[in-house]
Amino acid sequence: MNMEVTRINEGIKENPENYVRMADEDYIYRLRKIVEDIIRHQKEKPVIVLSGPSGSGKTTTALAIGKLLTESGHCTHTISMDNYFCSLTEEEKRLSAKGLIDLESPSRVDSVLLSEHIEKLENGESVEIPEYNFGTSRREDRGRPFRRQHGELVIFEGIHALNPDVITVPDERICKIYVSVRTRITHGDIILHPSKIRLMRRMIRDRNFRERTLRDTMNMFESVEQGENKYIMPYKYRSDYDVDTFLPYELSLYRDTLLCDLYEMNDIPELADITEVMGNLLPVNERVIPSNSMVREFIGNGEFN
C-alpha cells in the first residue's frame, strides 16, 4: 500500500484529533478481526506465536491482541521469547563486545526448551518460564511457575517465532502472526520504504529508552537489516495473519522530534529520503495521541510501556 504525503497532510489539517482517532480505530478493528478468528480455532490452537522485525510494533500488538482476547472472555498470557535466549559464556561475552558474535541468530534461542514448554502448555502441564537478564547475559531457568488453565490462550512474542527450526511444534497446533510496516510513503519521486519507517521508530525508542543517539541507531541500520533479511523475512510467508502496523499520522508525530537532528546528519545519504518526507509533513502534537496507541511503544507514556 502506498500513501501520499499530501493525503496525510489533508487529514491532519482538517482535524488532527479525528485523524488520529480514526487511524487507531482502524488498527484495532483489524486486530479484532484476527482475534475473532483466533477464538474460532482456540481449541485446536491455544498457543499463538507472533513475529516481526525490529521496530515493527510487535510487542504492543501482542499485548493489544491479548487485551482484546481477554475482553472477549478468553484469559490470555503473553510471554517474551527473549526469556529463552541461551546464556553467554565469558568467552562469548568477550567476543560479543568486539562485535564478533551474531546476537540476532536463531541459534541464540534454546529451541528445545521453548518447544517443550509450548507442548506442555498445550497439554495443560506446568512449566517454569525462564527469565533472561540482559545485564549479565544469563538466563535463570528457575523462573516463574506457570500452567495454562482450560480455555486460556498463550501468546509467544519474538523475532524468531515463525522459524520452524526455533519452534518445532507442528503448524496445525499453533496460530502464527507476522507483524511489520507494509505501507510505503510517497512524495514526488520519493518512495519511502517500510524499513525506513521502522528505522525512525527505532531512532526515537533508542534515544528515549536506550541512551543512544540517532547516529548510533543509524550506524546499526545495515547490520540490523541484514539480520532481518537473513533470519526473519524468509519465514513471514508461514504466517496465518499479517498485520501492517503503520499508522497514517505517525511520521507527522515524529517530525518535530527528529527533523532538526536529521538535518544535522546530512552527511548520511541513506537519510535523504526520510529528511525530505519529514520536512514536507504537517506536525502532530503528542498530546492528541491516546495512551493505548501502538506508537506509544516508541515515544513512551503508553498503556503497554
Side-chain angles (χ1 to χ4, degrees), residues 45-247:
K45 294 183 177 183
V47 172
I48 304 150
V49 299
L50 187 147
S51 172
S54 177
S56 63
K58 58 183 176 295
T59 299
T60 297
T61 302
L63 293 171
I65 287 174
K67 182 179 179 181
L68 289 171
L69 285 165
T70 298
E71 290 174 350
S72 298
H74 301 82
C75 184
T76 307
H77 307 270
T78 302
I79 300 171
S80 172
M81 284 173 52
D82 289 357
N83 289 317
Y84 289 85
F85 282 157
C86 299
S87 298
L88 293 181
T89 66
E90 292 304 316
E91 175 64 12
E92 287 172 332
K93 290 180 186 178
R94 186 184 68 81
L95 294 173
S96 174
K98 297 181 178 181
L100 299 177
I101 286 185
D102 185 358
L103 297 177
E104 300 297 318
S105 170
S107 64
R108 290 274 293 117
V109 181
D110 188 339
S111 61
V112 174
L113 180 65
L114 175 59
S115 297
E116 175 189 318
H117 278 194
I118 289 176
E119 291 188 342
K120 285 185 175 181
L121 291 173
E122 285 178 336
N123 296 327
E125 300 176 45
S126 296
V127 301
E128 282 199 24
I129 305 297
E131 182 176 348
Y132 193 84
N133 186 323
F134 283 92
T136 62
S137 299
R138 294 197 60 80
R139 186 182 77 208
E140 300 295 334
D141 288 325
R142 292 185 63 83
R144 173 171 62 92
F146 176 60
R147 180 178 182 179
R148 184 183 72 86
Q149 301 300 318
H150 179 73
E152 292 183 343
L153 295 161
V154 182
I155 300 174
F156 281 88
E157 173 260 315
I159 62 174
H160 299 301
L162 295 180
N163 189 326
D165 293 327
V166 173
I167 295 179
T168 58
V169 179
D171 283 354
E172 61 268 18
R173 284 165 41 198
I174 54 176
C175 173
K176 302 178 294 299
I177 302 174
Y178 180 76
V179 171
S180 191
V181 175
R182 307 298 290 271
T183 299
R184 288 168 168 78
I185 304 302
T186 62
H187 178 67
D189 294 332
I190 295 174
I191 301 177
L192 197 61
H193 191 271
S195 64
K196 296 292 186 70
I197 298 171
R198 291 189 290 104
L199 171 62
M200 283 185 274
R201 291 175 173 182
R202 294 202 305 270
M203 284 178 165
I204 292 175
R205 179 199 62 195
D206 288 357
R207 184 164 63 185
N208 286 348
F209 304 115
R210 302 185 182 182
E211 299 182 351
R212 293 176 185 153
T213 66
L214 268 61
R215 194 173 289 272
D216 290 335
T217 304
M218 186 61 213
N219 288 339
M220 296 186 292
F221 178 65
E222 184 176 353
S223 62
V224 169
E225 288 295 293
Q226 288 176 349
E228 291 168 354
N229 291 332
K230 185 176 181 180
Y231 299 129
I232 302 173
M233 305 302 185
Y235 304 107
K236 63 183 182 181
Y237 77 93
R238 301 185 66 243
S239 65
D240 301 310
Y241 311 99
D242 290 340
V243 180
D244 183 354
T245 61
F246 178 74
L247 295 174

Side-chain angles (χ1 to χ4, degrees), residues 36-51:
E36 291 172 357
D37 206 45
I38 289 173
I39 292 171
R40 281 193 287 270
H41 300 285
Q42 62 175 316
K43 290 185 179 179
E44 63 267 30
K45 294 183 177 183
V47 172
I48 304 150
V49 299
L50 187 147
S51 172

